[in-house]
C-alpha cells in the first residue's frame, strides 16, 4: 500500500472529486504550533505502490485543511493558520500560484468544505468563532455566520440540501444553518466537551454525526435531536475527524489522537468494524474516495500519508 | 449576537420529510436541464428547524440563572452558550432574556453619577444648615455616603470628592467649634460666674466666707472644665472615627488600585500572548484551559470561572493523550519566546491578483461529482 512522506506534520488529506488517484495533503511545520506550511498534490501510480508528488505549494504559516473545488478539476483551496484562505490552481506553474489569498478571519482557519451540490461555494470554519461562505470568483466572503461562543473546528454541507450546513465548535454544540436564514436553525448540544468534527450522512439527509474530545462519536437525527441515534465508543482519546462513506449508507470512518483510524457501522450493535493503527503519532486527517469504493487515505503528525483499500493493511 | 430573527416559519409539519426526497428529486431533475438556479426545493429546510414549543420549566430555570448577580456580570455570549449547552432552544433562550431585565452596562455609571451627585449635595446642605445638630453627625454622613459610593463603582473623582468632603467636614467642625461652641461655653461660664457674683452679692451677709466663694467658683469652673473636656473628648472621638473611616476608605482605594494593577497586567500579558508568535494549543483541553484562563482575568466578574467551570472540569475520563516529545520541546521553546530555527521567510501572496483559474479539463458532472452517487 502506498505511503507518502511529507517533510512537515500532516493535518488533512482529501481525495480529488475528479481524479481517482489524486489527493491533496495539508501539512504544517513544527506540529502546526509555529512555522511554515505546505500543500502537496500527490498522484497514486496505477501499477506500483509509489506515490508521486505532482506539485507542492509553500505557505508562510501552517496549512490546517484543504478542499478540492467541485467546479474546476485543478483548483483547490487551503486553510492557513494565519487566518487566510489561499486558492491554488495545479494546472498553473508554481510561480503563478496562489490565485487568491482571502484574508478575513481574525484567527486560524481550521476547516474547509466545498459545496458538492451547488459546486460554486465553500465554507471556512475558524477559531475566531465564525463560519464564512465564499465563492471562487469573489474577493470577499458572501456571509459570515457568527453565533458560536468558541472556536469552530469544522463545517459540513448537507449533501442533499444545497443551502443547509452544519458547524462543530469548541462551545460543545453543533449548529445547523441555512444560508437563506440569518441565524442558525438548530442547536444540538451534543457533547459535554469540545466537538471537533461533524459530517452528514450521504444517504439520509437527516442524519448527522459529531466527534468530540470526549472520545465518542454520536449520530443524530435532526428530527429528534435530543437523543442520539447511536453513540460510538472505542477511541482512546479525542476523535479528530469523521467522514460518512459516500458508498455505504451506514459506514463512517474516524481518526483520533489515539493514533488509529476506525471504521464503524452505526446501525449494528457492535459498531466497530475495522481498526487501523498504522500511524505512530496523532492521526488527524482521514478521507474516503468518492470515485473508488473502499479507497481511504489518512495522515498524521508522523508525517506520513497512507492510501489503502478498506480491508487491507495500510502498511503492507 | 443576541438579536437573532426567528427562523422562517416552517410551512409544514413533521411528516413533510417523507415528501422531501421527492421534492429534491424534482429539483435535481430540473437541474439536469442545466438550469440549476431555476427551481429550489420549496420546503426541506423545515426539517432542520426546531419546531418544539417553548418549555416553560426550562425558561423559568433560565430566568433564575440569568437573574443571579454573578451571571449578570458576564458577557452575554457566555450566558447564551451556557443555556445552549443545557439544551434550551433559541426561542426559549430569547424568551428568558426578554423576561430578565438586562440593564446594559452603560446605565450603571449613569445611575452612580446621579447618586454621587445627590448624596454630596445633601451632605453639603446638612453642613450649611447645621446649627444644633452636633457636628459629629455631618462628618459621618459625608463619609458614609462616600463609602457607599466607593462600594458600588469606583472612580477617581469619587475619591477626590470624598477626600474633599472629609476635609470640608473637618474644617467645618473646627470652625463651628471655634465660632459657636466656645463662645457659648465662655458666655455660659461668664453667666455662671455672674450668677455666682450676684448670689454672693445678695448673700453677702449670709455667707461672707471666701473659702465658700472660692469653692463655689471652683466647682463651677470644674463643671465648666468637665464640660469642655467632654466636648473635646467627643470631638476627639469623632476625629478618631473620622480617621478610622478615612483609613477604611484608603484601604478600599488600595484594593481597587491592586485590582486595576492586576487587570492591567493581565491585559499586558494577553497582548503579549497575541503578539508572540506561538499558538497556545496543545490538546484541545489545554487550548480551552489557557484560553479560558486569559478570558477569566479579562472579564469583569468572576462569573467566567463559574460558567466555564462547567466545561473546564477535568478533561473527559482520561488524561491527555501523550504528545510526541519533540512537540513538548517546541511548545516549551515557543512559550519561552524562542523561534524554532527551521522556519523560513516565505512570501505566499498571489503574484498576480487578477489571475484567472485555468480552464477545467473535465466538465463537472451535472449533479456534482459527489452527489452523483447519493441518489442510489
Amino acid at each position: 500500500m502506498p505511503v507518502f512522506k511529507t517533510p512537515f506534520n500532516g493535518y488533512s488529506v482529501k481525495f480529488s472529486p475528479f481524479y481517482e488517484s489524486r489527493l491533496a495533503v495539508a501539512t504544517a511545520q513544527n506540529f502546526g504550533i509555529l512555522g511554515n506550511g505546505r500543500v502537496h498534490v500527490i498522484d497514486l501510480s496505477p501499477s506500483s505502490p509509489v506515490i508521486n508528488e505532482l506539485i507542492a505549494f509553500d505557505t508562510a504559516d501552517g496549512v490546517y485543511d484543504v478542499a478540492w473545488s467541485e467546479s474546476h478539476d485543478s483548483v483547490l483551496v487551503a486553510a492557513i493558520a494565519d487566518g487566510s484562505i489561499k486558492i491554488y490552481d495545479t494546472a498553473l506553474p508554481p510561480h503563478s500560484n496562489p490565485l487568491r489569498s482571502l484574508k478575513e478571519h481574525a484567527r486560524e482557519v481550521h476547516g474547509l468544505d466545498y459545496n458538492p451540490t451547488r459546486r460554486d461555494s465553500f465554507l471556512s470554519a475558524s477559531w475566531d468563532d465564525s463560519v464564512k461562505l465564499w465563492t471562487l470568483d469573489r474577493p470577499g466572503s458572501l456571509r459570515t455566520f457568527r453565533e458560536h461562543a468558541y472556536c469552530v473546528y469544522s463545517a459540513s454541507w448537507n449533501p442533499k440540501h444545497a443551502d443547509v450546513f452544519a458547524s462543530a465548535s469548541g462551545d460543545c454544540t453543533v449548529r445547523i444553518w441555512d444560508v437563506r436564514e440569518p441565524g442558525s436553525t438548530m442547536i444540538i448540544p451534543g457533547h459535554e466537551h469540545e466537538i471537533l468534527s461533524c459530517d452528514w450522512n450521504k444517504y439520509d439527509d437527516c442524519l448527522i454525526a459529531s466527534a468530540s474530545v470526549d472520545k465518542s462519536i454520536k449520530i443524530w437525527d435532526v428530527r429528534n435531536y435530543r437523543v442520539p441515534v447511536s453513540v460510538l465508543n472505542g477511541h482512546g482519546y479525542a476523535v479528530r475527524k469523521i467522514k460518512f462513506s459516500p458508498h455505504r449508507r451506514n459506514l463512517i470512518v474516524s481518526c483520533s489522537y489515539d493514533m488509529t483510524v476506525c471504521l464503524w457501522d452505526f446501525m449494528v450493535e457492535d459498531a466497530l468494524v475495522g481498526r487501523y493503527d498504522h500511524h505512530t503519532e496523532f492521526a488527524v486527517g482521514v478521507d474516503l474516495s468518492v470515485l473508488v469504493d473502499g479507497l481511504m487515505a489518512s495522515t498524521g503528525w508522523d508525517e506520513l500519508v497512507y492510501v489503502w483499500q478498506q480491508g487491507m493493511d495500510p502498511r503492507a | 449576537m443576541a438579536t437573532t430573527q426567528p427562523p422562517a416559519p416552517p410551512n409544514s409539519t413533521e411528516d413533510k420529510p417523507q415528501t422531501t426526497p421527492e421534492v429534491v428529486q424534482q429539483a435535481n431533475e430540473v437541474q439536469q436541464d442545466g438550469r440549476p438556479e431555476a427551481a429550489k426545493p420549496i420546503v426541506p429546510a423545515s426539517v432542520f428547524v426546531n419546531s418544539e414549543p417553548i418549555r416553560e420549566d426550562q425558561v423559568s430555570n433560565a430566568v433564575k440563572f440569568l437573574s443571579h448577580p454573578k451571571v449578570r456580570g458576564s458577557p452575554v455570549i457566555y450566558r447564551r452558550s451556557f443555556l445552549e449547552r443545557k439544551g434550551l432552544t433559541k426561542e426559549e433562550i430569547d424568551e428568558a432574556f426578554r423576561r430578565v431585565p438586562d440593564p446594559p452596562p452603560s446605565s450603571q455609571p449613569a445611575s452612580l453619577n446621579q447618586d454621587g451627585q445627590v448624596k454630596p449635595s445633601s451632605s453639603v446642605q446638612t453642613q450649611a444648615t447645621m446649627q444644633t445638630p452636633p457636628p459629629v453627625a455631618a462628618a459621618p454622613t459625608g463619609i458614609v455616603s462616600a463609602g457607599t459610593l466607593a462600594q458600588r463603582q469606583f472612580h477617581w473623582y469619587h475619591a477626590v470628592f470624598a477626600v474633599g468632603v472629609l476635609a470640608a467636614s473637618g474644617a467645618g467642625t473646627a470652625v463651628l467649634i471655634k465660632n459657636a461652641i466656645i463662645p457659648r461655653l465662655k458666655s455660659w461660664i461668664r453667666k455662671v460666674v455672674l450668677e455666682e457674683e450676684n448670689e454672693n452679692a445678695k448673700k453677702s451677709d449670709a455667707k461672707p466666707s471666701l473659702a465658700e466663694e472660692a469653692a463655689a467658683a471652683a466647682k463651677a469652673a470644674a463643671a465648666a472644665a468637665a464640660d469642655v473636656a467632654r466636648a473635646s473628648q467627643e470631638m476627639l472621638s469623632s476625629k478618631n472615627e473620622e480617621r478610622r473611616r478615612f483609613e477604611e476608605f484608603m484601604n478600599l482605594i488600595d484594593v481597587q488600585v491592586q485590582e486595576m494593577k492586576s487587570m492591567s497586567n493581565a491585559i499586558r500579558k494577553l497582548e503579549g500572548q497575541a503578539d508572540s508568535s506561538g499558538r497556545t494549543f496543545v490538546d484541545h483541553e489545554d487550548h480551552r484551559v489557557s484560553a479560558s484562563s486569559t478570558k477569566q482575568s479579562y472579564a469583569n466578574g468572576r462569573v467566567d470561572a463559574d460558567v466555564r467551570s462547567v466545561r473546564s472540569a477535568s478533561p473527559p475520563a482520561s488524561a491527555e493523550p501523550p504528545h510526541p516529545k519533540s512537540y513538548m520541546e517546541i511548545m516549551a521553546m515557543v512559550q519561552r519566546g524562542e523561534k524554532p530555527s527551521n522556519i523560513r521567510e516565505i512570501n505566499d501572496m498571489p503574484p498576480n491578483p487578477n489571475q484567472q483559474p485555468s480552464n477545467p479539463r473535465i466538465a463537472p458532472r451535472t449533479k456534482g461529482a459527489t452527489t452523483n452517487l447519493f441518489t442510489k
Side-chain angles (χ1 to χ4, degrees), chain A residues 11 17-19 29-36 38 58-61 64 70-75 81-82 86 88-89 91-92 95-101 107-108 116-119 127 146-151 153 158-161 163-164 170-173 175-176 178 180-187 189 192-194 196 200 202-203 205-206 213-215 222-223 225-226 236-237 240 246-247 257 259 281-282 290-291 301, chain B residues 1 4-8 17 20 24 28 31 36 40-42 44-45 47-50 52 55 77-78 81 84-90 92 277-279 281-285 287-288 291-292 295 308 310-311 313-324 326-327 330-331 334 338-340 342-346 348-371 373-374 376:
Chain A
Y11 257 82
F18 290 93
Y19 300 106
Q29 204 179 23
N30 298 322
F31 303 98
I33 300 171
L34 178 65
N36 309 126
R38 188 174 293 176
D58 282 311
T59 55
D61 212 340
Y64 282 172
E70 294 271 345
S71 58
H72 288 70
D73 60 300
S74 58
V75 173
D82 63 5
K86 305 250 192 295
Y88 293 96
D89 189 337
L92 293 175
H95 62 80
S96 304
N97 272 295
L99 295 178
R100 304 280 185 272
S101 177
R107 289 204 60 193
E108 292 82 339
T117 325
R118 287 210 192 284
R119 292 178 269 118
W127 287 0
R146 190 180 297 277
E147 267 184 38
H148 280 294
Y150 204 53
C151 307
Y153 291 111
N158 188 299
K160 284 216 172 70
H161 303 279
D163 297 313
V164 175
D171 68 1
C172 311
T173 63
R175 264 171 224 259
I176 316 256
D178 186 320
R180 298 163 292 189
E181 302 289 338
S184 64
T185 58
M186 195 180 282
I187 301 170
E192 295 293 312
H193 295 271
E194 298 189 56
L196 304 182
W200 295 92
K202 313 295 183 230
Y203 292 88
D205 56 339
C206 294
V213 167
D214 68 4
K215 306 180 279 192
V222 298
R223 293 164 292 200
Y225 68 93
R226 298 250 173 235
Y237 289 106
R240 178 65 184 252
H247 298 271
Y257 287 173
M259 308 182 199
E281 289 298 348
F282 291 176
V290 170
L291 302 172
W301 281 7
Chain B
M1 198 71 47
T4 52
Q5 300 169 21
T20 304
V24 175
N28 282 345
Q31 283 183 353
K40 281 189 194 169
I42 307 157
V47 180
F48 305 102
V49 173
N50 258 335
E52 288 176 356
R55 295 166 293 175
I77 182 98
Y78 296 149
S81 177
E84 281 164 3
R85 288 204 315 276
K86 289 302 165 199
L88 273 75
T89 62
K90 254 195 192 175
E92 287 161 0
S277 19
R279 212 157 273 131
F281 82 107
V282 175
D283 190 11
H284 296 282
E285 290 99 7
H287 177 75
R288 177 174 18 123
S292 63
K295 279 180 180 170
R308 283 182 119 78
V310 174
R311 245 197 291 150
S314 57
S318 78
E320 225 182 85
H323 287 85
S326 46
Y327 176 94
I330 295 177
M331 277 303 285
V334 165
E338 296 168 25
K339 232 169 117 164
N342 51 4
I343 302 177
R344 287 169 30 217
E345 282 297 317
I346 293 180
D348 57 2
M349 294 312 287
N352 174 8
N354 299 319
Q355 177 78 51
Q356 289 305 307
S358 56
N359 288 328
R361 264 170 287 175
I362 298 184
R365 301 173 204 206
T366 45
K367 292 181 202 167
T370 322
T371 52
L373 287 168
F374 304 150
K376 269 195 207 166

Side-chain angles (χ1 to χ4, degrees), chain B residues 134-210:
Chain B
V136 192
T141 48
I143 294 171
V144 162
S145 63
T148 49
L149 285 181
Q151 275 167 19
R152 281 211 227 135
Q153 205 169 345
F154 190 72
H155 292 294
W156 284 114
Y157 63 82
H158 279 149
V160 171
F161 199 82
V163 169
V165 161
L166 277 171
S169 63
T173 313
V175 163
L176 271 157
I177 289 176
K178 211 165 62 151
N179 293 343
I181 305 297
I182 293 192
R184 283 172 75 194
L185 213 57
K186 281 192 191 156
S187 60
W188 181 75
I189 292 175
R190 239 179 268 132
K191 201 173 53 164
V192 165
V193 169
L194 267 168
E195 275 183 7
E196 284 295 314
E197 284 182 13
N198 289 344
E199 269 192 23
N200 288 345
K202 278 187 203 155
K203 20 182 202 162
S204 57
D205 300 320
K207 287 180 184 161
S209 144
L210 208 67

Side-chain angles (χ1 to χ4, degrees), chain B residues 260-280:
Chain B
M260 282 189 174
K261 275 193 189 156
S262 68
M263 270 169 72
S264 68
N265 279 343
I267 290 171
R268 231 176 287 129
K269 219 187 303 177
L270 199 65
E271 285 172 4
Q273 262 189 7
D275 289 343
S276 89
S277 19
R279 212 157 273 131
T280 53

Side-chain angles (χ1 to χ4, degrees), chain A residues 112-152:
Chain A
L112 287 174
D113 194 37
Y114 215 97
N115 192 322
T117 325
R118 287 210 192 284
R119 292 178 269 118
D120 61 352
S121 49
F122 64 93
L123 294 166
S124 61
S126 165
W127 287 0
D128 70 359
D129 310 353
S130 73
V131 176
K132 282 185 190 276
L133 177 67
W134 313 78
T135 54
L136 285 180
D137 52 346
R138 299 264 212 110
S141 61
L142 272 69
R143 288 284 308 275
T144 302
F145 303 93
R146 190 180 297 277
E147 267 184 38
H148 280 294
Y150 204 53
C151 307
V152 190

Side-chain angles (χ1 to χ4, degrees), chain A residues 216-253:
Chain A
S216 74
I217 301 162
K218 293 188 186 175
I219 318 287
W220 309 88
D221 186 327
V222 298
R223 293 164 292 200
N224 182 14
Y225 68 93
R226 298 250 173 235
V227 181
V229 166
S230 178
V231 181
L232 308 174
N233 290 309
H235 274 301
Y237 289 106
V239 185
R240 178 65 184 252
K241 183 140 174 73
I242 48 174
K243 182 113 196 231
F244 268 106
S245 165
H247 298 271
R248 302 286 158 86
R249 189 191 189 90
N250 302 335
L251 216 57
I252 183 169
V253 72

